[in-house]
Amino acid sequence: MPKQLIKIATDIREAIAPNKAGKGEYNFHIVQNLIQLSKKNPKTELILFNDNRFTPPKEWQKYTINIPHQGLKWHKEVAKSCHKQGISNYFSPTSYITPHYIHRFSSDTKTLTTVHDLIVFLHPQSHPLKPRLIENYYLKKLTKLTNNTFTTVSDSTKKDLQKIFPRLASDQIKVIKNGLKDFPKPSTKTSKKAKPFILSVSTILPRKNYITLLKAFNIIKSLIPHEIHIIGKYDKKNLAPLLKYIKDHQLEKRVKILGYVSSKKLSSEYANADMLVIPSTYEGFGLPVIEGLKRGLPVICSDIPVFHEVADPAALFFKPLNPVDLANQIIFLHKNQEQKQILSKEGPKLVKKYNWKKSSQKIWKILLK
């Protein structure tokens, strides 16, 4: 056994869950790269904690320890296991709970905790009560610990974190931005007879602001030939207001809510869309924006700080709660082929800096300290 072995552990529960959203994609790609980095460094040992609900990829299994519990007990048992095994550094990609308990059982273990967004503080009404209380409680606890470092996925989220917790020094928060995955190539293009469509991709929640997109579309529906395709997980409660609006304004034949789709289907939708509209009122990063930019899609997104950070100057912006402003931007793009071509060229150039391998290397460097 090499001397001064550095034992690093992390959580893979969301990485291997089916129907992954943004945090799950982050978890998966970071862990996949950490495994490769650990292989190259004989002085490290990597441990992946799972909870037995889903089976990790074959390559991950030799690193995996299954903790067959749910809820708080899972986090406590992981913390106990870290203490027994002498874990030097723990990376928490999606939870504030585990690092809290790790510090209770082993104050010597260093933790690195990712903050994806501050929704529970800035938009509490968009979160169910239980997860809101949990995140609020445990994040506050972590901000008081000197042996925990935070990483945020954007400069905007770092500013939000410092605003809410001014006690945090700037050097306690490292900005490590998300990367971009490679989608499978779509097998075919849509036929020339198919209607052009406006694509929007995100989990259906109130803060995703789909109602403004529908209102904007209703204003201009007689002026453009487009459909709207909405892709993202949803529950009946959050979907209901959209369905009501669609029915009340006779949009059933022109608005398609596709729900969660496979990577292959999503790739096809990106390839065939005429433009991408992301109307969120708040995001920690906004993966669909850079996914659209990478594929050369003209992108219209809401005028919020994080979208300017990741998409300016390769996108158009609109006032988030102003459907008339959004309608005008859609009409502008529809009529202005030259502007569409400019955006289509600028997008792929802008997003070259978003790379999961580079992001993982930055995380790995912190974990080795």
Side-chain angles (χ1 to χ4, degrees):
M1 180 179 292
K3 295 180 179 179
Q4 297 180 332
L5 185 68
I6 301 173
K7 291 188 174 184
I8 295 170
T10 189
D11 172 358
I12 63 169
R13 293 170 302 154
E14 291 201 35
I16 61 175
N19 301 345
K20 289 186 282 292
K23 290 181 182 179
E25 291 290 343
Y26 172 90
N27 194 180
F28 177 86
H29 290 288
I30 296 296
V31 171
Q32 183 71 16
N33 281 284
L34 292 184
I35 289 172
Q36 304 310 315
L37 290 165
S38 181
K39 284 180 179 179
K40 295 176 183 178
N41 191 328
K43 292 187 177 182
T44 63
E45 179 182 339
L46 183 64
I47 294 173
L48 312 177
F49 284 107
N50 189 24
D51 64 3
N52 258 1
R53 288 176 299 161
F54 309 110
T55 303
K58 188 175 181 180
E59 184 188 12
W60 297 20
Q61 291 177 15
K62 67 178 180 180
Y63 305 97
T64 301
I65 294 177
N66 287 309
I67 305 292
H69 299 286
Q70 302 294 318
L72 287 179
K73 184 154 189 180
W74 185 86
H75 298 278
K76 291 178 180 179
E77 291 301 317
V78 168
K80 291 177 182 177
S81 181
C82 286
H83 178 61
K84 289 177 183 177
Q85 297 184 62
I87 296 299
S88 313
N89 295 275
Y90 183 89
F91 171 52
S92 188
T94 59
S95 173
Y96 307 139
I97 305 174
T98 318
H100 166 76
Y101 285 109
I102 284 173
H103 286 284
R104 283 186 59 182
F105 288 103
S106 178
S107 58
D108 292 334
T109 302
K110 295 179 181 179
T111 57
L112 177 64
T113 305
T114 299
V115 178
H116 294 270
D117 54 60
L118 280 302
I119 294 168
V120 296
F121 295 90
L122 300 174
H123 296 269
Q125 71 283 356
S126 67
H127 246 49
L129 180 61
K130 184 178 178 180
R132 191 164 76 223
L133 292 174
I134 288 172
E135 287 196 32
N136 196 309
Y137 176 81
Y138 286 103
L139 181 54
K140 283 181 180 177
K141 290 283 188 182
L142 285 183
T143 61
K144 298 175 183 178
L145 298 173
T146 57
N147 223 11
N148 177 77
T149 301
F150 290 105
T151 173
T152 65
V153 296
S154 66
D155 292 304
S156 179
T157 299
K158 178 177 179 176
K159 289 176 183 176
D160 289 340
L161 186 60
Q162 289 180 297
K163 184 177 180 179
I164 296 166
F165 299 104
R167 73 171 72 92
L168 284 173
S170 186
D171 61 3
Q172 285 182 268
I173 310 168
K174 313 298 182 183
V175 177
I176 301 176
K177 297 183 180 182
N178 288 337
L180 270 169
K181 70 177 181 179
D182 293 321
F183 280 97
K185 292 183 179 180
S187 54
T188 57
K189 284 272 187 179
T190 53
S191 70
K192 292 182 180 179
K193 294 181 180 180
K195 288 185 178 181
F197 65 90
I198 298 164
L199 178 64
S200 196
V201 180
S202 203
T203 304
I204 296 177
L205 295 166
R207 68 181 174 86
K208 302 298 184 174
N209 197 27
Y210 281 119
I211 196 68
T212 294
L213 173 58
L214 293 179
K215 288 178 179 178
F217 184 66
N218 190 54
I219 293 169
I220 57 175
K221 62 185 177 184
S222 63
L223 303 177
I224 59 174
H226 295 65
E227 296 179 342
I228 288 181
H229 293 190
I230 294 174
I231 290 176
K233 293 192 293 186
Y234 60 79
D235 58 34
K236 291 181 179 179
K237 178 184 176 182
N238 290 319
L239 183 62
L242 304 186
L243 294 179
K244 184 178 186 304
Y245 188 91
I246 290 167
K247 183 179 179 181
D248 289 347
H249 295 84
Q250 295 83 50
L251 298 175
E252 293 95 335
K253 292 183 178 181
R254 296 184 65 183
V255 177
K256 296 181 179 180
I257 297 179
L258 305 179
Y260 185 89
V261 301
S262 67
S263 290
K264 188 173 183 180
K265 173 65 173 173
L266 182 57
S267 181
S268 177
E269 290 289 308
Y270 276 126
N272 292 300
D274 186 50
M275 64 183 79
L276 177 72
V277 176
I278 305 296
S280 303
T281 56
Y282 176 81
E283 292 288 348
F285 184 81
L287 273 173
V289 171
I290 62 171
E291 288 175 352
L293 292 175
K294 181 180 180 180
R295 286 156 186 79
L297 263 180
V299 174
I300 302 172
C301 50
S302 47
D303 186 7
I304 58 176
V306 72
F307 286 165
H308 280 282
E309 180 183 337
V310 303
D312 208 0
L316 300 181
F317 299 88
F318 73 96
K319 298 173 184 176
L321 300 177
N322 189 329
V324 174
D325 194 19
L326 175 54
N328 287 335
Q329 295 286 30
I330 293 172
I331 288 292
F332 172 72
L333 267 189
H334 173 59
K335 292 183 176 181
N336 194 329
Q337 291 301 312
E338 183 179 355
Q339 182 64 43
K340 288 176 75 172
Q341 290 174 3
I342 291 171
L343 294 179
S344 294
K345 290 179 181 178
E346 290 300 315
K349 290 190 287 186
L350 180 69
V351 300
K352 286 181 179 179
K353 59 186 175 183
Y354 299 113
N355 183 292
W356 284 120
K357 186 175 181 180
K358 291 180 181 178
S359 299
S360 303
Q361 288 170 342
K362 291 177 182 178
I363 288 172
W364 185 249
K365 187 176 180 180
I366 295 171
L367 292 171
L368 290 182
K369 286 184 178 180

